[in-house]
Amino acid sequence: MKRVFATCDIGPALDMLRERGYAVDVYPSPEPPAQSLIIEKVGSGIDGLITTLRDKIDAAVFEAGKGTLKVVAQYAVGFDNINRADANRYKVPFTNTADVLTEATAEFAFFMLGSLARKLWSAEHLTRENKWGFWHPYLPFLGDEVTGKTIAIIGTGRIGLAMIKKCAGFDMNILCYDPAYQNHEFIKSIQETMDLRHARGIQKEKTWIKYVPFEEALHEADFVSVHVPLIREGESATPTFHLFNERTLRMMKPTAFLVNTSRGPVVDEGALARALKENRIAGAALDVYEKEPLPVDSPLRDPAIEDLCRLLPHFASAGKITRLSSDPDKGMAGRCVQGLIDVLEGNYGGDVKKMPYVVNKEAFS
Ligand code: NAD
């Protein structure tokens, strides 16, 4: 009988495993287990481990599973919590749930952007706190329109491209930056769509999209939306750790807004809080943090910047279908479980390199 430990309940998709006769042990608490417990479970000889971004999976875990652990199935597209070099050294394939959360994450990034620019938080507070004393052309404050503005998309992978689609629908000009992957065909198709919409009178102004260097993207944009993986120094030629820092935040316009749905450590939070406090940028909306959950003493909680800073609880993929569907083409849960099944049941002729959800294929060539 195959044995699986899930560090978190990922919902009804786990029944797919139970129906196949697997023994499924689910960590019962909503909080993450200690790493020592994961090591203990792995050491007990389980075949598969289901993880989330909250679990640190490194050599200690792989050592405990030496000879028995066959797969780590990560319930997320990002896998910066898994030490890829260690997984490769122990020859344990790990899977992720790319694609199924792309549109949900991109639309949430767009909603964060809209909420920030049009001051939905402050506006609702006026109503709820009975401070909405009159209708007035510009008092007590105005927001900034999104339509017709320029956005910089930092990272044009799956979610970045999906975000581009949403922004094009709002008649935005789009600056793209990605040092490692440039999808010129996609960008050309978006430009053609923009031109057609203009020619047919669907949008009044002509809009454009182009790849530019990082500095130009930051200098020119009214909005900057970040869609990169967390890559620490030394892990690749294009690290993203503190990509937004004291120096690069100063490249943004004082009227510009930053939106981050990627990973917290991509933004130096101390530098961001200072930039907001000194009005060097107009606002920021964050879904992810250097430390999660956001600590009580975080500088981002400073009441002086509350109106400029939206703080969401790592929620961008948190749509019902996206999170829970058992269909591997729709839900993270389904895709996570299918990735685990592929490895444990030797699908694709047992060739890990052919399995669509396995990330570290390089370890098996
Ligand atoms: P992806 O791999 O398809 O795209 C990432 C892109 O970033 C790639 O094109 C890559 O070339 C580019 N990139 C790498 N280094 C860069 C750099 N230094 N500067 C600019 N671009 C760089 O990944 P994806 O599916 O689009 O997901 C992106 C990230 O979003 C994930 O790794 C994850 O951390 C995060 N994410 C967060 C949530 C959430 O709930 N907030 C949900 C899904 C994904």
Side-chain angles (χ1 to χ4, degrees), residues 148-151 153 163-176 186-210:
K149 295 284 175 59
T150 297
I151 185 162
I153 303 292
M163 182 67 170
I164 286 171
K165 281 194 296 178
K166 321 283 178 219
C167 296
F170 272 75
D171 305 351
M172 299 184 86
N173 296 306
I174 305 171
L175 299 160
C176 307
F186 185 92
I187 269 40
K188 189 166 152 251
S189 305
I190 293 285
Q191 185 64 63
E192 285 166 4
T193 312
M194 288 170 160
D195 293 345
L196 182 65
R197 282 163 55 102
H198 180 255
R200 297 283 173 91
I202 295 169
Q203 62 182 63
K204 256 205 300 213
E205 305 290 334
K206 253 183 169 297
T207 51
W208 45 261
I209 180 167
K210 60 185 175 183

Side-chain angles (χ1 to χ4, degrees), residues 249 277 308:
L249 286 167
K277 213 161 174 176
L308 312 179

Side-chain angles (χ1 to χ4, degrees), residues 110-322:
F110 194 85
F111 297 150
M112 284 168 63
L113 182 156
S115 155
L116 179 65
R118 298 300 300 270
K119 298 199 185 317
L120 299 192
W121 161 271
S122 313
E124 185 166 349
H125 271 276
L126 276 188
T127 316
R128 290 192 176 277
E129 290 162 18
N130 271 326
K131 292 179 184 155
W132 173 30
F134 43 80
W135 187 98
H136 188 278
Y138 57 84
L139 292 176
F141 49 73
L142 295 174
D144 288 279
E145 298 83 352
V146 170
T147 305
K149 295 284 175 59
T150 297
I151 185 162
I153 303 292
I154 308 302
T156 58
R158 289 169 289 243
I159 299 170
L161 295 183
M163 182 67 170
I164 286 171
K165 281 194 296 178
K166 321 283 178 219
C167 296
F170 272 75
D171 305 351
M172 299 184 86
N173 296 306
I174 305 171
L175 299 160
C176 307
Y177 170 71
D178 192 318
Y181 169 75
Q182 306 195 341
N183 193 331
H184 292 287
E185 202 49 45
F186 185 92
I187 269 40
K188 189 166 152 251
S189 305
I190 293 285
Q191 185 64 63
E192 285 166 4
T193 312
M194 288 170 160
D195 293 345
L196 182 65
R197 282 163 55 102
H198 180 255
R200 297 283 173 91
I202 295 169
Q203 62 182 63
K204 256 205 300 213
E205 305 290 334
K206 253 183 169 297
T207 51
W208 45 261
I209 180 167
K210 60 185 175 183
Y211 274 102
V212 293
F214 187 54
E215 291 72 14
E216 186 176 336
L218 298 197
H219 278 306
E220 302 300 325
D222 301 305
F223 298 93
V224 176
S225 190
V226 192
H227 303 285
V228 300
L230 170 58
I231 307 174
R232 294 181 191 278
E233 204 66 47
E235 287 177 356
S236 117
T238 60
T240 59
F241 178 80
H242 283 190
L243 185 62
F244 287 83
N245 53 43
E246 194 71 43
R247 187 180 64 84
T248 54
L249 286 167
R250 283 180 191 277
M251 294 176 187
M252 290 175 61
K253 298 200 274 196
T255 50
F257 298 92
L258 178 70
V259 177
N260 185 20
T261 53
S262 67
R263 280 291 181 266
V266 172
V267 175
D268 177 341
E269 288 173 3
L272 175 62
R274 282 192 295 280
L276 290 169
K277 213 161 174 176
E278 293 165 17
N279 294 310
R280 280 188 274 116
I281 66 170
L286 307 175
D287 186 45
V288 286
Y289 305 92
E290 296 205 63
K291 189 164 186 299
E292 295 181 6
L294 186 66
V296 285
D297 59 350
S298 165
L300 296 169
R301 293 184 187 272
D302 184 344
I305 56 172
E306 181 178 315
D307 285 345
L308 312 179
C309 189
R310 302 281 51 80
L311 303 173
L312 287 310
H314 203 144
F315 209 58
S317 69
K320 289 176 186 145
I321 295 168
T322 301

Side-chain angles (χ1 to χ4, degrees), residues 5 7 49-53 55 57 72-76 81-82 336:
F5 175 61
T7 65
L49 176 67
I50 291 176
T51 55
T52 73
L53 47 87
D55 309 313
I57 305 300
V72 175
Q74 165 91 343
Y75 178 87
N81 58 306
I82 299 177
C336 175

